Amino acid sequence: MKKLIAQHDYHIFKIKTLEMMVNGEKGIFYQIVQPDWVNIIAFHKGQLIVEKQYRIGCDKEILELPAGIIEHGEEIIAAAERELLEETGYKGHGQLLSEMLPNPAVQTNRCHTVLIQETIDTGQTQMDSFEVISTELMPLSEAEAAIINGQFQNALHIASLYQFHLYQKNLFL
């Protein structure tokens, strides 16, 4: 038995309060309902496209992969290609590598990793109102070093890079 007790909408996510029976005991549980996300591993002339962007959650500028929310009804690959172009000005064709559950204990969404092996630079970005992003190209080895030295800290982006590492070794997919 699962009963919805309350739901609050905070624009970028909703919180659902649920009453459920687990092991014969009634309890209150919470779900964070968010849209699915996409992380993009994209290369331009053999170099990884990365971004530096201020993030309110950690209150600092961090190094990340291009990424974003998949709009309602939008295909995963189309979302990745759109987000890459909007945020970086680079354009290319993607392929789906994986799907992850960001935090299945409380979140309902999925995070997808899309690979775009070669891009062209259009020189035109279309960032959202509150996005301030600087784009960089770096060898993959530098991105790996940035993970080790703590410059690259977004856990889901690190997981996407690890999935790409497995893909390169033909251990993934």
Side-chain angles (χ1 to χ4, degrees), residues 20-32:
M20 291 175 47
M21 293 291 286
V22 178
N23 296 326
E25 192 173 333
K26 191 184 303 183
I28 302 294
F29 299 88
Y30 303 93
Q31 283 183 330
I32 301 171

Side-chain angles (χ1 to χ4, degrees), residues 37-42 49-55 62 64-71 79-91 121-136 157:
W37 309 323
V38 62
N39 293 340
I40 305 132
I41 297 174
I49 300 169
V50 297
E51 302 175 343
K52 282 190 180 171
Q53 173 168 201
Y54 172 79
R55 292 300 194 180
I62 61 172
E64 297 182 314
L65 296 170
I69 291 173
I70 300 170
E71 301 296 336
E81 292 170 356
R82 175 187 52 76
E83 286 286 347
L84 182 68
L85 182 61
E86 287 176 359
E87 292 183 357
T88 69
Y90 289 93
K91 185 177 180 177
D121 186 357
T122 69
Q124 297 177 10
T125 60
Q126 295 178 330
M127 289 180 229
D128 292 336
S129 300
F130 298 107
E131 287 181 321
V132 179
I133 299 171
S134 62
T135 302
E136 299 179 16
H157 292 201

